[in-house]
Amino acid sequence: MKTSSLKKNILAGLAFGSLLVGQPLHADTTVFFAGGNASQSILYDRVTNILTGGISKVVVSPTNSTVRTYIGTIASQPGLGTVTIHFSLLGAVGGFQDVANQSTELTATTNSLVPTIAVSSTSPEAVGINPAPFTQVKSLVVPFVFIKNTSLSPNLLNVTNLTQRQAAYLEGASGTLPSAFFGGSSASDIVYLVARNTAAAVRTEIDANIYFSGTISSYTTNALGQPISDPNGGLANGTAVVNHLKVIPNAIGTVAAQDFPATTAGFATIAYEGVPFSITNVETGSYPIWGYERWAYLKTGQTGAPSANQLNVITNLLSSVTNVTFQTSSILFSNKFARLSLMQVDRSADGGPINSIIY
């Protein structure tokens, strides 16, 4: 089934709820977002934008900042009561699984709840999850990049481009190849990959775009700060990748564009197949490493499908995320994400062929 329009589904759901109830519901409303963290900065910002009646409480997990809760009200919709929005953005794969299987996750307020909706820059089918139970909507386009830190790794100064084969070799054989293999200055050094783990859409989308399906060779550090093979096969978030590139010489990392530290001296993105990363190059289709961010929830009639009030909160947040003024002017969006309305291309599968959009 084709991806549905969230707004149409919400309007239909609200109309159906009105027929059943006959009047707005006056009860507190809780919505729980699970999934990936590629657009976390936008989600957190837009939550504060929609809670126009005031925010009474924000709770951030002391162990993981991607687990957080916002409590407040929406002034124009008093029937929603107190609105609680939980986030547990620990990984796209887990988000899809927990929504589909109705499994609980721990919130920042230490409640174990079943997520209402999954947010992810990969599709369910790309990670082996049946898409049929989900209503899906696209909110934006998330680019992904290979990055380096030449302040720590001068041998990588001339590593300015990766071909598909070089990228695949980097993922499968890092720790054995010299920088010269990638265009660097030495044939006797070693290049290390610092990647995301298999729970991350960053990992899924980059692998799909470079056609890599083998066992990844990713590195982390030991207690002495030395590079060692990562027993987890990758890191949990983009910030960790960036921090590792500040201590591991000759390292190349993979992150969502949101996590690229553009203002940090020495850090640079690496072109792919001769095309440098830029939002314009994503929009025209010349830079191919990107995925659609999807919001996915269970279809009406299934156990765990959002209520009318929950759908109301979801559409408020979606409208705030896709607001043209926000996407045009916010530093949280500019040079980090692409607007759906400006895409000149599309694709029907993660990492699949890119086709021109005919208007």
Side-chain angles (χ1 to χ4, degrees):
M1 183 176 289
K2 292 183 179 180
T3 299
S4 303
S5 165
L6 181 61
K7 293 183 180 178
K8 289 182 180 178
N9 278 281
I10 289 169
L11 289 174
L14 291 175
F16 180 66
S18 296
L19 288 173
L20 289 179
V21 180
Q23 60 183 4
L25 300 176
H26 293 276
D28 294 340
T29 307
T30 297
V31 177
F32 187 178
F33 283 79
N37 49 49
S39 67
Q40 59 179 308
S41 61
I42 285 180
L43 292 172
Y44 303 151
D45 177 81
R46 296 292 84 191
V47 163
T48 63
N49 176 263
I50 69 167
L51 295 177
T52 52
I55 297 174
S56 59
K57 192 174 187 179
V58 178
V59 182
V60 180
S61 167
T63 58
N64 194 314
S65 64
T66 66
V67 179
R68 55 179 67 190
T69 296
Y70 296 80
I71 302 173
T73 58
I74 299 176
S76 62
Q77 296 173 299
L80 298 175
T82 298
V83 176
T84 300
I85 302 178
H86 297 292
F87 292 100
S88 178
L89 305 180
L90 299 175
V93 178
F96 279 133
Q97 289 174 332
D98 289 340
V99 173
N101 300 329
Q102 292 293 279
S103 301
T104 61
E105 293 192 23
L106 192 65
T107 72
T109 54
T110 68
N111 301 54
S112 288
L113 300 175
V114 175
T116 317
I117 183 169
V119 57
S120 170
S121 46
T122 190
S123 64
E125 55 268 33
V127 292
I129 297 172
N130 179 14
F134 291 107
T135 293
Q136 298 185 57
V137 65
K138 298 170 183 175
S139 59
L140 44 80
V141 172
V142 182
F144 306 97
V145 289
F146 289 90
I147 64 173
K148 62 182 179 179
N149 175 14
T150 56
S151 292
L152 184 66
S153 308
N155 287 357
L156 299 182
L157 185 64
N158 293 326
V159 179
T160 58
N161 176 69
L162 294 175
T163 65
Q164 181 270 322
R165 288 189 177 184
Q166 286 174 321
Y169 281 132
L170 174 66
E171 292 216 343
S174 90
T176 65
L177 298 170
S179 62
F181 181 87
F182 305 101
S185 59
S186 175
S188 59
D189 60 356
I190 296 175
V191 174
Y192 301 98
L193 172 69
V194 180
R196 294 292 306 278
N197 60 28
T198 55
V202 175
R203 172 76 167 274
T204 299
E205 293 303 300
I206 287 180
D207 286 359
N209 276 280
I210 70 171
Y211 310 108
F212 179 81
S213 59
T215 301
I216 202 165
S217 178
S218 185
Y219 279 76
T220 183
T221 57
N222 60 18
L224 300 176
Q226 300 166 326
I228 60 169
S229 181
D230 190 338
N232 297 314
L235 301 172
N237 57 70
T239 300
V241 172
V242 171
N243 288 338
H244 275 62
L245 263 61
K246 293 177 180 178
V247 296
I248 300 179
N250 269 27
I252 293 174
T254 54
V255 296
Q258 168 190 262
D259 294 315
F260 172 64
T263 60
T264 303
F267 274 85
T269 59
I270 301 173
Y272 178 72
E273 290 288 349
V275 180
F277 163 68
S278 73
I279 295 301
T280 298
N281 287 343
V282 171
E283 292 169 347
T284 60
S286 58
Y287 183 85
I289 309 180
W290 53 266
Y292 295 110
E293 177 139 288
R294 295 165 168 85
W295 295 20
Y297 58 88
L298 294 176
K299 293 176 180 176
T300 300
Q302 298 185 81
T303 300
S307 67
N309 278 1
Q310 288 174 318
L311 286 172
N312 204 332
V313 173
I314 290 167
T315 195
N316 269 279
L317 186 56
L318 178 68
S319 295
S320 186
V321 168
T322 58
N323 178 272
V324 173
T325 300
F326 167 74
Q327 292 191 348
T328 302
S329 60
S330 175
I331 61 172
L332 298 176
F333 196 95
S334 300
N335 299 316
K336 299 176 178 66
F337 302 94
R339 288 168 53 188
L340 290 169
S341 61
L342 296 182
M343 292 294 289
Q344 300 172 39
V345 295
D346 63 12
R347 65 195 337 167
S348 60
D350 299 68
I354 293 175
N355 306 299
S356 295
I357 296 175
I358 301 175
Y359 292 98

